């Protein structure tokens, strides 16, 4: 009958240090939370959201202000003029999107494809690069383009330098301006001579 007592005492000696350890850890966690909170308040938003990247916002602004308003979009895939992934997703979300080629035969095939679907304005969006400033909190995206097929075939869209800034709420478009040299020359992308006309119908407006 006397043998369980040492076991009980032993178990209590382990419980007390564990409780003290939990209390100590709790104090450190609270302290860490305070420090983390202060850092977050100082740093502010990171502006790294995949859905609100500077290029994506710039592309959205470019196509929604284009005149005539495009209902289909093209990008010169596999070239320096290709719209980056974030911007390409924006095009897909706004309407059917196709790949463009520098090969004349492929271009005619693309125009035939577009014409078979309907007489909708189709804009080739040309990416001309980006410039970062202010430790990456200000990004200037340069875009251009021209219409492909239909009554607007060959019509140039203006070259624009679209400024996107990171503020306390995330990426924003505080201003946009048209770059010197008004119209953009038609893109002459190199690459796939087959001229793929893969269309993404997500969010189609036609």
């Amino acid at each position: 009958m006397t043998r369980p007592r040492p076991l009980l005492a032993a178990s209590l000696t382990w419980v007390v240090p564990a409780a003290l350890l939990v209390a100590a850890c709790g104090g450190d966690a609270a302290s860490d939370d305070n420090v983390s909170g202060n850092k977050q308040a100082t740093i502010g938003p990171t502006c790294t959201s995949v859905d609100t990247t500077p290029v994506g916002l710039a592309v959205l602004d470019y196509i929604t202000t284009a005149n005539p308003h495009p209902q289909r979009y093209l990008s010169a895939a596999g070239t320096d003029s290709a719209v980056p992934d974030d911007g390409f997703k924006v095009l897909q979300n706004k309407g059917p999107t196709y790949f463009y080629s520098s090969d004349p035969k492929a271009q005619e095939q693309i125009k035939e494809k577009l014409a078979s679907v309907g007489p909708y304005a189709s804009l080739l969006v040309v990416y001309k690069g980006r410039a970062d400033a202010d430790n990456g909190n200000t990004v200037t995206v340069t875009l251009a383009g021209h219409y492909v097929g239909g009554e607007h075939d060959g019509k140039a869209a203006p070259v624009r330098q679209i400024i996107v800034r990171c503020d306390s709420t995330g990426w924003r478009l505080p201003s946009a301006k048209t770059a010197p040299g008004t119209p953009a020359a038609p893109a002459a992308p190199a690459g796939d001579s087959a001229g793929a006309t893969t269309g993404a119908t997500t969010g189609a407006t036609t």
Side-chain angles (χ1 to χ4, degrees):
M1 299 298 293
T2 60
R3 297 177 68 180
R5 291 180 183 174
L7 293 175
L8 179 60
S11 64
L12 290 176
T13 59
W14 283 103
V15 171
V16 174
L20 292 175
L21 180 61
V22 170
C25 289
D28 290 341
S31 176
D32 289 344
D33 287 344
N34 290 336
V35 172
S36 176
N38 291 336
K39 287 182 179 179
Q40 182 63 29
T42 302
I43 295 173
T46 58
C47 290
T48 57
S49 171
V50 173
D51 297 326
T52 55
T53 60
V55 172
L57 285 174
V59 169
L60 180 62
D61 184 68
Y62 189 81
I63 62 177
T64 54
T65 57
N67 185 23
H69 179 68
Q71 294 166 294
R72 296 178 299 201
Y73 308 94
L74 301 99
S75 177
T79 73
D80 292 339
S81 299
V83 177
D85 289 344
D86 295 315
F88 191 78
K89 290 176 184 177
V90 170
L91 298 181
Q92 290 180 304
N93 287 335
K94 296 300 288 184
T97 304
Y98 302 83
F99 293 133
Y100 194 68
S101 171
S102 61
D103 180 71
K105 280 189 176 181
Q107 291 178 8
E108 289 305 316
Q109 292 174 354
I110 292 171
K111 290 179 182 180
E112 290 174 6
K113 170 68 175 178
L114 295 174
S116 69
V117 178
Y120 305 106
S122 305
L123 179 64
L124 169 66
V125 180
V126 179
Y127 177 70
K128 288 183 165 292
R130 58 178 282 175
D132 294 10
D134 188 25
N135 294 321
N137 290 320
T138 299
V139 178
T140 302
V141 181
T142 304
L143 298 169
H146 73 272
Y147 292 84
V148 177
E151 63 177 312
H152 304 295
D153 186 38
K155 176 181 172 65
V159 178
R160 290 184 57 201
Q161 291 179 332
I162 301 174
I163 300 172
V164 188
R165 288 199 179 100
C166 174
D167 61 19
S168 60
T169 59
W171 289 112
R172 298 293 175 191
L173 286 166
S175 64
K177 63 181 180 179
T178 299
T182 323
D192 181 13
S193 60
T197 56
T198 304
T201 56
T202 303
T205 59
T206 57

